[in-house]
Every structure is written in C-alpha cells, then in structure tokens.
Amino acid sequence: MILMEEQARVGDSASGFSLHSDIVANYILNFGNEEQKQKWLPKMATGEAVGSIAMTEPGTGSDLQSIRTTAVADGDDYIVNGSKIFITNGYLCDVAVVAVKTGDINGGAQSVSLLIIEADRKGFSKGRPLKKVGMKGQDTAELFFDNVRVPKSNLLGMEGMGFIMLMKELAWERMMIAIMCVAGAEFALATTADYVKQRKVFGKPVSAYQNTRFKLAEMRSEIQVARVFVDRCMEQVLKSELSVEAACAAKYWVSDLLSKVVDEGVQLHGGYGYMLEYPIARAYVDTRANRIYGGTNEIMKELISRSI
Ligand SMILES: Cc1cc2nc3c(=O)[nH]c(=O)nc-3n(C[C@H](O)[C@H](O)[C@H](O)COP(=O)(O)OP(=O)(O)OC[C@H]3O[C@@H](n4cnc5c(N)ncnc54)[C@H](O)[C@@H]3O)c2cc1C
C-alpha cells in the first residue's frame, strides 16, 4: 500500500510494479503448486521475470465468460490459440497468467481456466506497445497465441476454476485501484493548492477567490471521505473480510472522485492545466483509465447491485 501510494504521490503512472507484485504474483502464490511457486516467485521478487495477467480479448472485456482463447488438451500438453488485448506489462512480460477456455468455447464460467505461459514459448508473440492517451511510460500490449504448446503442469489450480480465481483476486485488484486513486486525488489537490496560491489574477492569488476556496474545500472533504473508506476497506483486507461489493464500491467511487478532482484541478490551473509540463495535466490523461480497467465502473455497479 505504501509503494502504491508513493507512486501515485509523485504522479508516476509509468511502472506496472503493483500489477506485477500484487496481482500476478498473488495468483501464483495463492493458487500455484509448490513447483510453480519455486519456479516463478523468486525470479519475480528480484525482477528477473516480469509478470502480466491476460484476461481481456479484442472481442470481450467486461463479459469475461465469453473469452475465445482456447486451450485444447493434447497428451500432457494444451494447445493454446487466441489473442489478448490491453495487457499491462504485456510487451515486457516474461510470464503471463492467461485466461483460457479449457471446456466448451461457448460454455460459461465453468469452462474458464488459468494457464501460466512463458513468453519464450513457440507461437507466443507480442504486438507493439499500444498508443494510449496517457500512461505513456507503461507498456500495454496485445498478445497472440498461435498453436502454443503449454504443459499441463502450467495449469493454475484446477481446470474450470479460472473464473472463481479471477473473482477472488479481482477484489484485491479493485482495492489496489482505490488505494492508488485516493493517493492520486490527494496529490492532485496538493499540486492544485500550491498553484493557486502562487498564480495571481486581477492582482490577487487565485486562492483568494471564494470560488477557488470552495472548490478546494469540496475536494478536501470528499477526498477525506474516500480516505476513510479506503482505510476501512484495507482493515477488512487485513482480516480477510473485504467483500466483493466493498471492493467494487471503493474502485468505482474513488476512481470517479479522482477524475472529478483532477478535472477541477485542471480548471483552477487555467491554460497551464492543459500543458503536459504541469503535473495536473499529466494526471488528467494518466488517471482516466482507472474508471475502465479492473472492470469498468458500470460493471462495479452491476456487481454491487446484486448484493442489494
Ligand atoms: C490502460 C489499460 C490497462 C489494462 N490492463 C489490462 C490487463 O493488464 N489485463 C487485462 O486482462 N485487461 C486489461 N485492460 C482491459 C480492461 O480491463 C478492459 O478494457 C475493461 O474490462 C473493459 O472491457 P472492454 O474494453 O472490452 O469494454 P466493453 O466490455 O466493450 O465495454 C464498453 C462499454 O460498455 C459498458 N458495459 C459493458 N457491459 C455492461 C453491462 N452489463 N451493463 C452496463 N454497461 C456495460 C462498459 O462499462 C463500457 O462503458 C486494461 C485496459 C486499459 C485501458
């Protein structure tokens, strides 16, 4: 949590550290067998191996059960065919945890499995890093699987358990987004407050105007509400009590708040807020994807509504 917050606090959206350490490593740690753990976790800890998690496909993102990447059994191996898109660390990865269909391709959740696939396997190729609106330093790529032969010993957990593992880990992934978003909002407010105290308009600092002070007060109040909620969810994480709904609520509400705070921050900077040399402008393009990845905020509301 400290690492994620510090990265957000310096406006660093470039490194996919937390995805590597807190998502991919967790799949192997929580669901891998001893051999898989010994093979990957030490190398991932030292940084010799970079990890990615590949769920999304060109044809399906929100509806994960509809993935079309297949892993067909052939003796002691699977033959994997398909492609993935928008994969963080995809270009740099040495290993990918890949969601595949081991059962009926038209089947639902019970057909989904997770395979550990090494990047140097024959038939596994990577597209060039995708040209994103922001997060320019971070690699997001397409992955292609063309008759990739993967030993069955690379299966994570059991066949057909993939969806359950994804749902379990996605709660923490969503919490991570909330952690980074609340720290990002604190950073956006701080950089905006500094700016408005220095910039003079009509002979007075921008901060002297009631509109500015009220905006800052609103942002401060809402960020404090978010901070208390995120910290409360984190206490539940530590007790293994975080519910799916709370993780979804934290992800959607705090990422929406971050967008609002950053947008107000840009406005209070005037034209400078639109120039990339200012941290608030970089935050404007870098933070937008928080409402999309990890499950869109609309999907978060779907999941929350099911518990009501
Ligand atoms: C920077 C970045 C990094 C990413 N990293 C990864 C990664 O590492 N690994 C990975 O697997 N994926 C990754 N993704 C993919 C991301 O998780 C998906 O983009 C996201 O889940 C949405 O899927 P989609 O793009 O197919 O949108 P779609 O599913 O096509 O959604 C389009 C719109 O329809 C809405 N919608 C969909 N279903 C419903 C519904 N039931 N009710 C109401 N509205 C709905 C959505 O909310 C959205 O507004 C990343 C994406 C980005 C932008």
Side-chain angles (χ1 to χ4, degrees), residues 137-280:
Q138 186 175 81
D139 113 54
T140 308
E142 238 176 314
L143 306 179
F144 305 97
F145 305 95
D146 181 14
N147 285 319
V148 183
R149 189 168 278 278
V150 181
K152 282 188 174 166
S153 56
N154 280 24
L155 181 73
L156 258 189
M158 289 193 295
E159 262 195 24
M161 296 293 286
F163 205 74
I164 293 169
M165 293 187 262
L166 289 169
M167 288 306 114
K168 196 163 178 295
E169 290 303 315
L170 276 166
W172 171 236
E173 178 173 344
R174 287 162 185 161
M175 238 341 267
M176 288 166 53
I177 295 173
I179 290 168
M180 290 185 265
C181 286
V182 73
E186 288 165 350
F187 166 73
L189 173 60
T191 192
T192 301
D194 282 348
Y195 182 82
V196 294
K197 285 177 200 167
Q198 283 160 27
R199 175 72 173 173
K200 287 210 168 102
V201 288
F202 298 100
K204 286 194 290 188
V206 176
S207 60
Y209 293 89
Q210 190 188 51
N211 175 64
T212 309
R213 289 184 286 110
F214 279 16
K215 290 284 180 211
L216 294 178
E218 286 166 15
M219 288 191 251
R220 162 71 71 81
S221 307
E222 289 182 52
I223 293 168
Q224 280 175 340
V225 172
R227 167 56 68 195
V228 172
F229 183 49
V230 167
D231 285 351
R232 170 91 179 108
C233 288
M234 199 55 202
E235 285 172 13
Q236 292 172 333
V237 169
L238 294 175
K239 290 191 244 162
S240 301
E241 287 174 2
L242 182 74
S243 69
V244 168
E245 304 83 66
C248 291
K251 192 271 177 186
Y252 116 69
W253 198 78
V254 185
S255 63
D256 272 5
L257 175 66
L258 173 61
S259 277
K260 191 166 121 184
V261 168
V262 169
D263 189 68
E264 292 287 9
V266 168
Q267 193 66 18
L268 288 173
H269 276 70
Y272 297 94
Y274 205 60
M275 301 299 137
L276 283 173
E277 69 206 73
Y278 283 79
I280 198 72

Side-chain angles (χ1 to χ4, degrees), residues 19 53-56 60-62 86-88 132 135 140 289 292-296 298-299 302:
L19 180 121
I53 169 91
M55 300 173 268
T56 309
T60 191
S62 302
F86 305 146
I87 306 308
T88 304
K132 301 191 293 291
M135 303 172 80
T140 308
I292 297 169
Y293 53 51
T296 65
E298 292 71 37
I299 294 297
E302 269 296 323

Side-chain angles (χ1 to χ4, degrees), residues 5 21 47 52-53 75 97 117 119 176 205 215 263:
E5 287 184 349
S21 313
S52 67
I53 169 91
V97 173
I117 307 188
M176 288 166 53
K215 290 284 180 211
D263 189 68

Side-chain angles (χ1 to χ4, degrees), residues 106-121:
N106 297 313
Q110 65 283 3
S111 300
V112 178
S113 302
L114 297 182
L115 273 184
I116 301 174
I117 307 188
E118 299 87 345
D120 56 5
R121 283 201 177 272

Side-chain angles (χ1 to χ4, degrees), residues 281-297:
R282 293 198 293 277
Y284 189 70
V285 288
D286 286 345
T287 58
R288 182 60 179 83
N290 284 291
R291 287 158 58 194
I292 297 169
Y293 53 51
T296 65
N297 285 5

